[in-house]
Amino acid sequence: MFSIDYIQNTHIYVECVCVYVQYVPNFTAMGGKNSKPEVKPPSLLLDKEWRPVPWNAKAEYLQSVRCFEPFQPHNDERNEDQHIRILLHGPVGHGKSSFINTVNSVLRDRMTGRALAVASGTSFTKKYTTYKITKGARGTFYPFVFNDTMGLEKDHGVREEDIKLAMMGHVKDGYRFNPHSTLSTDDPYYNTNPSLSDKAHVLVCVVSANKVHLLDDGVKKKMTNVMREAGDMGIPQMVILTKIDEACPEVDADLRNVYKSKFVKEQMELLSESLGIPLNCIFPVKNYHSEITPNDDLEMLILMALRQMINYGEDFVDNL
């Protein structure tokens, strides 16, 4: 039999050994005899922004958008409601409707949710709808509008032909997209004589940053076909890269890391190559999602993209 003193001393000795074993890695990390250099994980960020952002110029950008005046067409006098029409397209669930809501929230200085959006694999947008944004007094609107489309899918979703018709101004508000048939010329929602304002002046493809590498080849083919049609019509194009915070933890921690993030830059370059669109036409943004109060950095990225859309649309109309 062991004495009580022996058992107690043995217990103390075992505890001391455990403490020593736990301490050894710390000793080794400090440069012990058998220590190895500590390997740091590669940084997710570049040393500096590869695209400068005037983060403190939100008021200036907001003012330029608010002061934008509608174009004056030369041969389209019958339509008094002149505006820049921005047509959105892209895969299901990548943030088209959320982008419209976010722009609306930025310009109205409060959270809004006019374009219904859901986080699912099925397109919520079923009808062709023009979204106007209220400006100042009730009944007045900004001189640019957004049109959302049903999401692109490999075997379902909006048909390429319907997007082409929308670009040409042949689709009336309220038209219900049909994945199995294209809008016909005898349909009451077919606009036989579109005005300049009915036509699309900017085509914007919306893609989620965390799903670029998951895009189906069939969906990418539809996207490139639509963009090729727009190119043939001379319509300027942009890509909005959404959900950058979900794609990169460093951007989630601080939106100002967006143009330092290696991952975000890689996704932009991948889109540029696969869709054949210049890198300077791709704008990463974060849409309002869970926020209930304004975020200046988020809104700065949105305003940069919005101002470019307006500029492109105005240039397109001027060149007609």
Side-chain angles (χ1 to χ4, degrees):
M1 297 290 293
F2 296 105
S3 68
I4 293 177
D5 290 341
Y6 174 85
I7 294 174
Q8 289 177 339
N9 291 338
T10 302
H11 179 68
I12 293 173
Y13 171 77
V14 170
E15 287 184 340
C16 289
V17 170
C18 291
V19 171
Y20 172 77
V21 170
Q22 291 175 356
Y23 180 75
V24 167
N26 295 329
F27 170 77
T28 302
M30 293 175 64
K33 183 177 180 180
N34 298 319
S35 66
K36 296 182 180 179
E38 184 178 353
V39 179
K40 294 183 178 180
S43 175
L44 300 175
L45 300 177
L46 300 168
D47 292 335
K48 63 178 182 179
E49 289 180 327
W50 62 271
R51 180 184 288 177
V53 178
W55 292 108
N56 298 319
K58 174 191 164 184
E60 176 188 334
Y61 272 67
L62 192 57
Q63 184 66 14
S64 69
V65 171
R66 286 175 172 166
C67 292
F68 171 70
E69 295 293 336
F71 58 87
Q72 298 297 325
H74 302 291
N75 302 310
D76 193 27
E77 297 180 356
R78 67 186 180 82
N79 190 344
E80 298 178 357
D81 184 22
Q82 302 298 338
H83 48 243
I84 299 295
R85 186 177 298 276
I86 302 166
L87 180 63
L88 306 183
H89 76 105
V92 172
H94 282 230
K96 296 184 297 298
S97 300
S98 294
F99 178 74
I100 295 174
N101 289 335
T102 302
V103 170
N104 197 27
S105 296
V106 172
L107 296 182
R108 300 193 67 184
D109 198 28
R110 65 177 178 83
M111 297 296 107
T112 64
R114 293 182 58 205
L116 296 180
V118 292
S120 70
T122 304
S123 180
F124 199 94
T125 302
K126 304 296 184 183
K127 293 183 178 181
Y128 188 70
T129 305
T130 297
Y131 292 95
K132 298 180 178 181
I133 300 177
T134 302
K135 180 181 181 181
R138 186 179 297 274
T140 61
F141 302 93
Y142 280 93
F144 50 85
V145 299
F146 289 91
N147 279 96
D148 197 3
T149 58
M150 189 179 192
L152 284 165
E153 298 180 68
K154 181 181 178 180
D155 300 313
H156 300 283
V158 64
R159 296 178 66 86
E160 298 168 37
E161 294 85 353
D162 276 348
I163 299 180
K164 179 180 178 180
L165 290 173
M167 289 190 286
M168 298 170 67
H170 288 301
V171 183
K172 293 181 180 179
D173 263 30
Y175 167 65
R176 181 175 287 275
F177 294 106
N178 187 338
H180 308 292
S181 64
T182 303
L183 176 65
S184 61
T185 55
D186 59 351
D187 191 289
Y189 286 102
Y190 185 90
N191 183 4
T192 57
N193 189 23
S195 69
L196 180 59
S197 286
D198 293 328
K199 300 174 182 179
H201 306 128
V202 187
L203 180 68
V204 178
C205 181
V206 180
V207 182
S208 172
N210 59 359
K211 295 180 180 179
V212 173
H213 62 292
L214 298 175
L215 286 176
D216 183 88
D217 288 340
V219 172
K220 282 195 288 188
K221 183 178 179 180
K222 286 187 174 184
M223 291 163 63
T224 53
N225 288 343
V226 168
M227 296 174 79
R228 189 180 300 112
E229 293 282 358
D232 291 342
M233 298 180 199
I235 300 174
Q237 302 174 55
M238 291 175 54
V239 173
I240 296 298
L241 190 68
T242 62
K243 304 183 182 182
I244 53 176
D245 56 316
E246 296 180 17
C248 177
E250 298 291 344
V251 177
D252 186 33
D254 185 353
L255 271 179
R256 295 196 178 195
N257 285 328
V258 58
Y259 287 115
K260 290 182 181 180
S261 168
K262 293 178 180 178
F263 182 80
V264 172
K265 189 172 187 289
E266 288 170 359
Q267 303 316 296
M268 293 172 66
E269 291 171 342
L270 182 58
L271 275 178
S272 176
E273 181 179 354
S274 61
L275 299 181
I277 190 166
L279 201 60
N280 62 3
C281 294
I282 303 177
F283 287 76
V285 302
K286 170 178 164 54
N287 291 329
Y288 276 126
H289 174 61
S290 60
E291 298 81 2
I292 58 174
T293 57
N295 181 304
D296 286 343
D297 291 342
L298 178 155
E299 297 192 356
M300 187 62 222
L301 294 175
I302 292 291
L303 287 168
M304 287 178 65
L306 177 61
R307 195 164 82 167
Q308 191 74 312
M309 291 176 195
I310 294 171
N311 290 341
Y312 280 173
E314 187 175 33
D315 291 344
F316 174 67
V317 173
D318 287 343
N319 291 333
L320 290 177

